[in-house]
Amino acid sequence: MDETSRFERDDIRRAGEADAARPHDTTQTHDADLSFVPFGADLTEAELEAIDALPSGAALLVVRSGPTTGARYLLDTDVTTVGRHPEADLFFDDVTVSRRHAEITRAGTTFEIVDQRSLNGSYVNGERVDRAALVNGSEVRIGKFRLNFFGSPVDLPTPAEH
């Protein structure tokens, strides 16, 4: 399956919806656990509404695991800094996060994560990356924080564009 279409809008489910074909994954990561076990696509009603309300060119990061589980971060600028430095746009106050850990860049409706030579690295879908495109549903790991990336539904390709 094409990586850009790995996580389409129809794959997002409301928290609690049963899906016999895909059992719900409740695996959480531990501080020293570097394995990649994807979270289920269960989102709360508020998270679904926040994603649906995104304008073109914006995206949302939802924290799925870590000290700020449930937090949502709006990505609506060309460069968003991520790190433990208090002036970072996304401030993750944990020793597993470098002071200047990564940047998330936007070009039009395309987002990319760029590691800033962090000690523990930046991961997308379980693979350590220096730079990687973020597509709908991508899992990003920064230190012990695991987040899912969701682009604006307005910017998702329609079935005719596949």
Side-chain angles (χ1 to χ4, degrees), residues 148-162:
N148 279 121
F149 172 88
F150 297 99
S152 170
V154 175
D155 299 330
L156 291 178
T158 60
E161 294 175 6
H162 284 284

Side-chain angles (χ1 to χ4, degrees), residues 110-123:
T110 303
F111 288 83
E112 187 174 56
I113 187 166
V114 182
D115 187 78
Q116 299 296 300
R117 298 184 179 159
S118 64
L119 181 62
N120 291 323
S122 299
Y123 293 77

Side-chain angles (χ1 to χ4, degrees), residues 88-110:
D89 297 316
L90 303 184
F91 173 59
F92 292 149
D93 190 15
D94 190 85
V95 296
T96 61
V97 178
S98 296
R99 290 175 59 76
R100 288 174 175 76
H101 198 101
E103 289 181 346
I104 298 173
T105 61
R106 174 183 70 175
T109 60
T110 303

Side-chain angles (χ1 to χ4, degrees), residues 71-87:
R72 296 184 303 237
Y73 297 99
L74 178 65
L75 303 175
D76 63 352
T77 60
D78 289 339
V79 178
T80 302
T81 58
V82 182
R84 199 179 70 230
H85 191 282
E87 293 178 9

